[in-house]
Amino acid sequence: MKRLMKMNPRDTVAVALRPVASGEVLSFEGLSLTAAQDIPQGHKIALTSFAEGDVITKYGYPIGHAVEAIRAGDWIHTHNIKTNLSGEEEYEYLPDLHPVTYPKRGLTFQGYRRANGKVGIRNDLFIIPTVGCVNGIAEQMLQEFKAEHPDPGGFDNFTVLKHPYGCSQLGDDHRMTRSILLDAVNHPNAGGVLVFGLGCENNIVSEFRSMLGGYDESRVKFLVAQEVGNEVEAGLALLEELYEAAKNDVREPVPLSELNIGLKCGGSDGFSGITANPLLGAFSDFIISQGGTSVLTEVPEMFGAEKMLMARAENREVFEDIVSLINNFKQYFLSYGEPVYENPSPGNKAGGISTLEDKSLGCTQKAGSSPVVDVLDYGVKLRRKGLSLLQAPGNDLVAASALAASDCQLVLFTTGRGTPFGSFVPTVKVATNNDLFAKKGHWMDFNAGPLLERPMAEVLEEFIAYIIGVASGQKTRNEQNEVRELAIFKTGVTL
């Protein structure tokens, strides 16, 4: 294995691909570097000397500036580098589109065609509480139903989409809760849905039902606990109707153009921008080349890399939408008196990420090189094929839930630290390094670590085959572990 890697010819730092000991002499691109300190795996080493204030470059772009004199061979991290970002910026539309495209290959997966024309990769049974008060009863109901039906019949998974909201909310919070739950009812992976309310909540079932628009009455049922005697018995009867409606559903060949892929990262490390995120970027370009769709979110982790995304806007209107997306989220931070640019978590820093630019430039690798064709507000479903940006925070559960709600049938999630969570759609965990994949194989689905030694084209082909398998019914680790969750964004007061 190579000892160091530079991400772009313009870079003034390299990444240590294994731990480097103080005093170790490294030969790299004609340089002879003596490590001045121990440098952990995934962290940065200076390729040149810097004076205080000098800009430091990685991925071909600035990731901050030196806060003290730095010598070639020094470890560069949070003790000697600081972000260049501060406040709001002025943006100019400067298109710079260089998409990587792949030949159309006519590949298919085995999916479920819905009556409304959408395609699911799962036939899942959802119980969707309109309010958190009934979460426990919904879970009791589902466990009794599963006991009566050890064979899932036509369903792939049984899930209660538990959440703490639906009441004591006002304004945007009430709207966002309702929007995400409506999105879940209408999700293409849902083969049957029981909407379950209490009866006195703000998110009242009758109003919720009227907002659904047209829906398949054989696949969506409603229950209000306060309106029946025994709500568990009434719920079991409705679940039985859904079970009967779905038991003969079968998969059929569907072109890859029907796939909507969510792109997410969490617990990033110094390898995220080298292995797993570029792999997702290559896959995003591939699926778009086949006529499909990918979605990038985590707006705070676009800060510092937003100009790259703006330069890829399909037209000026999309550019203006990206500007609004970025500035509105900055205002959200500032309205609470919080710093905009202090994003990297302790886990990120331990893994080698030093500044928000460092994190964001690695994070946006997941979006490949395709043009941005649309910008979606939180809770809005996909409108166009190609690459869209979605308004949501960086929080893993909230962002992954937002991707799922937008009609992504699965979420691709890269991580260098590891996490067991899963959204209510299949959540493919892609390890950035071999050690994590070996240690947490019961959490992880795919290993991008071999990209340190193997060509992208080879690993991408393996990943394409794996994703087609998942889309055709192969269960992800979060599904196998029965970890399927929903988290909803909240900004305001609780009554």
Side-chain angles (χ1 to χ4, degrees):
M1 180 188 290
K2 295 184 291 186
R3 301 164 84 182
L4 301 176
M5 178 178 284
K6 191 163 72 169
M7 304 306 300
N8 184 285
R10 299 193 297 270
D11 289 357
T12 52
V13 297
V15 176
L17 302 182
R18 61 165 179 78
V20 175
S22 178
E24 188 173 345
V25 178
L26 304 167
S27 296
F28 182 70
E29 296 188 348
L31 298 172
S32 179
L33 301 169
T34 300
Q37 302 88 18
D38 290 339
I39 302 175
Q41 176 178 284
H43 286 239
K44 295 175 289 295
I45 185 172
L47 298 178
T48 187
S49 295
F50 300 91
E52 182 179 349
D54 283 353
V55 169
I56 297 171
T57 303
K58 183 182 174 187
Y59 302 108
Y61 291 89
I63 60 166
H65 62 271
V67 297
E68 62 186 30
I70 298 173
R71 298 167 299 171
D74 277 357
W75 174 34
I76 291 184
H77 199 36
T78 52
H79 60 287
N80 56 13
I81 184 175
K82 185 176 181 181
T83 179
N84 291 331
L85 302 173
S86 62
E88 294 190 34
E89 293 191 43
E90 295 292 328
Y91 299 110
E92 185 179 359
Y93 182 39
L94 299 170
D96 187 23
L97 295 167
H98 305 282
V100 174
T101 58
Y102 294 82
K104 288 189 180 295
R105 291 167 50 178
L107 297 174
T108 63
F109 65 96
Q110 296 292 312
Y112 295 99
R113 285 203 176 272
R114 303 300 181 196
N116 61 5
K118 293 183 180 181
V119 174
I121 69 168
R122 293 291 183 271
N123 219 30
D124 283 354
L125 174 63
F126 293 157
I127 301 179
I128 300 182
T130 57
V131 64
C133 305
V134 297
N135 285 346
I137 299 173
E139 190 63 47
Q140 176 190 347
M141 188 188 301
L142 184 59
Q143 293 309 316
E144 291 191 23
F145 181 75
K146 289 169 67 174
E148 293 176 6
H149 295 281
D151 177 355
F155 289 115
D156 292 301
N157 299 297
F158 299 131
T159 308
V160 178
L161 299 189
K162 291 180 282 190
H163 62 91
Y165 302 132
C167 205
S168 301
Q169 292 184 293
L170 300 170
D172 284 345
D173 283 352
H174 180 57
R175 178 188 58 78
M176 290 189 293
T177 293
R178 191 171 53 198
S179 295
I180 294 296
L181 298 182
L182 288 166
D183 289 343
V185 174
N186 286 316
H187 196 278
N189 284 4
V193 178
L194 174 60
V195 178
F196 182 32
L198 178 59
C200 55
E201 63 269 27
N202 292 84
N203 191 24
I204 191 164
V205 171
S206 59
E207 294 179 4
F208 183 88
R209 182 174 186 166
S210 69
M211 298 182 71
L212 271 176
Y215 62 91
D216 186 341
E217 294 185 7
S218 70
R219 299 305 181 107
V220 182
K221 305 292 182 182
F222 299 87
L223 175 63
V224 178
Q226 292 173 351
E227 295 178 359
V228 298
N230 188 317
E231 65 281 352
V232 174
E233 288 183 2
L236 290 172
L238 292 173
L239 292 176
E240 193 67 41
E241 292 181 24
L242 295 170
Y243 184 85
E244 289 297 315
K247 69 180 182 182
N248 295 318
D249 290 351
V250 294
R251 293 179 180 270
E252 61 181 271
V254 178
L256 292 190
S257 58
E258 295 293 343
L259 279 183
N260 304 325
I261 305 295
L263 306 169
K264 176 76 180 81
C265 60
S268 299
D269 68 353
F271 288 153
S272 293
I274 298 174
T275 60
N277 288 353
L279 175 62
L280 263 59
F283 183 77
S284 175
D285 287 340
F286 170 78
I287 206 70
I288 290 171
S289 296
Q290 308 310 301
T293 302
S294 66
V295 188
L296 181 70
T297 188
E298 304 175 272
V299 178
E301 292 169 29
M302 298 175 190
F303 298 164
E306 69 267 40
K307 292 180 181 178
M308 293 172 54
L309 294 171
M310 292 173 184
R312 287 165 52 188
E314 183 182 55
N315 52 47
R316 180 172 289 277
E317 181 181 358
V318 173
F319 163 76
E320 296 291 350
D321 288 343
I322 300 173
V323 172
S324 295
L325 177 75
I326 297 298
N327 284 340
N328 288 346
F329 227 96
K330 288 181 180 179
Q331 281 301 318
Y332 163 63
F333 276 61
L334 295 171
S335 69
Y336 285 94
E338 297 295 341
V340 174
Y341 299 117
E342 298 300 320
N343 181 281
S345 69
N348 294 152
K349 294 173 182 176
I353 294 172
S354 307
T355 64
L356 181 52
E357 298 101 305
D358 193 359
K359 184 175 183 178
S360 295
L361 288 164
C363 176
T364 53
Q365 301 290 312
K366 301 191 301 294
S369 63
S370 298
V372 179
V373 300
D374 202 5
V375 178
L376 304 172
D377 287 339
Y378 181 79
V380 172
K381 286 189 176 290
L382 287 164
R383 298 179 292 217
R384 296 192 60 191
K385 299 286 189 180
L387 174 65
S388 291
L389 306 184
L390 171 66
Q391 181 193 47
N395 177 272
D396 291 349
L397 273 70
V398 175
S401 295
L403 288 167
S406 75
D407 269 3
C408 291
Q409 301 112 327
L410 72 162
V411 172
L412 307 182
F413 186 100
T414 68
T415 179
R417 311 292 293 177
T419 177
F421 102 100
S423 183
F424 64 92
V425 300
T427 307
V428 175
K429 306 293 179 36
V430 182
T432 69
N433 61 82
N434 298 327
D435 291 344
L436 172 61
F437 192 76
K439 181 180 181 181
K440 289 295 186 183
H442 57 295
W443 290 356
M444 309 307 298
D445 296 283
F446 193 89
N447 184 19
L451 280 169
L452 295 176
E453 302 177 33
R454 295 175 55 202
M456 172 64 79
E458 288 183 8
V459 179
L460 176 61
E461 281 302 312
E462 294 173 4
F463 193 59
I464 291 168
Y466 176 77
I467 295 302
I468 290 175
V470 170
S472 300
Q474 178 182 335
K475 290 200 171 186
T476 56
R477 292 297 188 193
N478 77 288
E479 292 179 286
Q480 295 171 19
N481 297 334
E482 295 284 341
V483 178
R484 296 183 296 277
E485 301 179 64
L486 171 69
I488 301 173
F489 195 31
K490 180 185 184 302
T491 64
V493 300
T494 298
L495 296 176

